Amino acid sequence: MEFKQKLVMVLLVTGFSVFLANNAYSADCKTLFNKLDKQLYSISEKDRVKKLIAIEEALFKAIDQCRTKSGMFVLMGEVQIDMGQIPLAVVYGRKAVELDNQYWRAHKLLGSALMLNNESEKGLNALRRAVALAPDNSNTQLNLVSALIQNKRLSEALNIVNKIIARNESSSLATAYYLRSKIYHEKGLLIEADKDLKEARKLGFEINQRS
């Protein structure tokens, strides 16, 4: 009886140790992801390629440490897009989705990469999935709108961008007006297109800015 009690205690202690180790692993990976994510999106244009290469090298190590974390593959895919390595971005996007099919950013990456890789239908489906998973994320919706315009799905694009403009969010409004001006232009509504383009510029949108 005493042996059984000791065995139960050993199993409980072992299980608790594994639980703590897994939690520490998750916390470390989350901290590392947040650090690299912040670094990636704070890169300036000066020495951009050099800085991207540095983050890429850091991500190789991070992925080796956090092999099951979808976010690490998302970051690597985003770096590959920035570096013009589109087929690689598709590979990382698919892996990110495989690891976490409910992560909107994984689908956004995959959709963007597929669009750039001339796989339009698959790209649109992935971007629609991203929007469905993050319905309040205007940036993801704008990505979808841009892809829809590229593929002449103007009615769907207009419906989405009108809702974004109605929300009146300062962070997305300029880009939304610019994209709606493109939709109107494609539809031959030149007066409306010119009006929205002027509004976009008034709000600070520059044609060569990244959206």
Side-chain angles (χ1 to χ4, degrees):
M1 188 69 175
E2 185 179 347
F3 172 76
K4 288 184 177 179
Q5 288 177 336
K6 287 182 178 179
L7 180 60
V8 169
M9 284 298 296
V10 169
L11 290 173
L12 286 173
V13 170
T14 302
F16 187 62
S17 298
V18 170
F19 172 77
L20 290 177
N22 285 340
N23 274 6
Y25 167 81
S26 297
D28 287 345
C29 287
K30 183 177 180 180
T31 300
L32 185 56
F33 168 82
N34 289 336
K35 177 184 176 182
L36 292 171
D37 190 28
K38 186 176 180 181
Q39 286 180 7
L40 177 58
Y41 282 89
S42 63
I43 291 179
S44 62
E45 290 304 318
K46 183 180 179 181
D47 297 325
R48 185 173 184 84
V49 174
K50 183 179 178 180
K51 291 172 183 175
L52 283 170
I53 291 172
I55 290 182
E56 182 186 41
E57 291 175 355
L59 277 167
F60 278 126
K61 296 176 183 177
I63 286 173
D64 190 53
Q65 179 182 333
C66 308
R67 294 176 183 271
T68 62
K69 300 303 176 184
S70 176
M72 294 301 185
F73 291 88
V74 169
L75 288 182
M76 183 63 94
E78 291 173 352
V79 167
Q80 298 308 320
I81 285 179
D82 256 359
M83 296 176 74
Q85 303 290 342
I86 305 307
L88 272 178
V90 172
V91 171
Y92 283 110
R94 285 178 174 148
K95 183 62 178 180
V97 169
E98 177 188 321
L99 289 170
D100 188 354
N101 192 43
Q102 299 303 307
Y103 186 23
W104 65 269
R105 197 164 159 184
H107 289 279
K108 180 186 175 185
L109 164 65
L110 179 58
S112 299
L114 287 169
M115 292 298 301
L116 291 169
N117 205 44
N118 298 314
E119 298 180 63
S120 298
E121 286 303 319
K122 291 179 180 178
L124 286 172
N125 288 336
L127 289 173
R128 289 189 183 106
R129 176 64 174 157
V131 168
L133 289 168
D136 297 323
N137 189 306
S138 295
N139 182 263
T140 301
Q141 292 176 334
L142 289 170
N143 269 66
L144 175 57
V145 169
S146 181
L148 289 167
I149 295 170
Q150 181 182 332
N151 286 272
K152 309 299 182 183
R153 310 286 179 87
L154 301 180
S155 294
E156 185 181 354
L158 183 59
N159 181 51
I160 297 170
V161 81
N162 279 340
K163 292 177 181 177
I164 297 172
I165 290 172
R167 288 203 293 267
N168 199 35
E169 297 172 349
S170 59
S171 61
S172 58
L173 204 54
T175 302
Y177 272 113
Y178 171 69
L179 289 177
R180 195 170 71 174
S181 76
K182 291 184 68 175
I183 295 170
Y184 283 146
H185 190 272
E186 289 288 331
K187 284 176 167 283
L189 302 171
L190 302 185
I191 294 175
E192 291 85 347
D194 184 60
K195 181 181 177 182
D196 272 2
L197 183 57
K198 287 178 180 176
E199 186 64 26
R201 285 172 170 162
K202 179 181 175 182
L203 290 168
F205 186 89
E206 296 178 6
I207 299 301
N208 63 347
Q209 82 173 41
R210 298 172 58 179
S211 58

